[in-house]
Amino acid sequence: EQRFRELTDLLPQPVFEADILGRISFANRSALETFQYDEGTVRSGLNIGQMIAPADRERAVRAYQGFIAGSGRSGNEFMAQRRDGSTFPVMIYSSIVRRKNEIVGIRGIIVDITERKASEAALRSSEERHRMLVEQANDGIVLSDIQSGIILEANERSAELAGTTVDRLVG
């Protein structure tokens, strides 16, 4: 157990273990730092639900219950909540803990996906700006497959120049 604790404390991601009621029985150093709790708070009965933002708690409870019942899955995305109330997006990967073939809890790892979410938002914004530029251009713009020549995308101006609609031009 000591070796396990020492190894998990080296990990940069939060690692936890909780009983069947969701009371945390172990949290590595990264979990304590990320969520702004101390070991005393964990020992006093900190529950997993306290680390999920209020807007996601009901969904998290359903996911937890489904996971314990065997119908859920690991790899769920939630908004996590630190002790100070600030929130951040996470993916939680977990597995069931069994003792003598009985489910007694879960253990898992929490991955902060803040940077991924920011990248996805920036990509969506960039794609929207690109789409607006193409749609508002005075020139006909088409994107076609180089091998087959099939038109994959076209703006309204290209359809006007071809004397048809975008729906008929694409494909």
Side-chain angles (χ1 to χ4, degrees), residues 16-166:
F16 70 93
E17 188 169 283
D19 68 15
I20 195 78
L21 299 175
R23 293 179 301 227
I24 298 172
S25 55
F26 172 78
N28 72 343
R29 182 176 296 130
S30 179
L32 297 174
E33 291 170 1
T34 299
F35 288 91
Q36 304 170 337
Y37 288 101
D38 57 39
E39 288 185 33
T41 307
V42 171
R43 280 193 298 273
S44 69
L46 183 65
N47 193 285
I48 295 172
Q50 292 171 263
M51 296 160 63
I52 301 295
D56 273 358
R57 283 187 187 149
E58 186 177 317
R59 188 170 59 85
V61 167
R62 284 193 312 270
Y64 179 76
Q65 290 170 339
F67 186 69
I68 292 294
S71 61
R73 64 179 178 83
S74 180
N76 291 294
E77 186 177 318
F78 299 105
M79 284 302 288
Q81 180 172 298
R82 294 181 184 92
R83 187 176 195 169
D84 69 4
S86 61
T87 60
F88 60 104
V90 297
M91 285 292 291
I92 302 177
Y93 300 94
S94 51
S95 65
I96 291 174
V97 177
R98 295 177 191 272
R99 291 202 179 91
K100 296 183 181 177
N101 212 24
E102 183 178 329
I103 297 173
V104 296
I106 65 167
R107 65 175 56 106
I109 185 167
I110 300 169
V111 179
D112 182 339
I113 58 172
T114 301
E115 289 181 24
R116 186 188 92 193
K117 289 294 200 178
S119 294
E120 289 172 353
L123 180 60
R124 279 191 303 275
S125 177
S126 175
E127 288 173 344
E128 185 59 32
R129 282 192 312 272
H130 171 74
R131 189 175 334 287
M132 284 176 43
L133 284 171
V134 169
E135 286 302 320
Q136 294 175 4
N138 288 325
D139 298 320
I141 300 173
V142 295
L143 173 67
S144 64
D145 181 280
I146 197 162
Q147 290 180 333
S148 67
I150 294 174
I151 296 175
L152 304 173
E153 293 183 41
N155 67 352
E156 286 291 333
R157 182 66 179 140
S158 64
E160 286 174 19
L161 292 170
T164 188
T165 65
V166 171

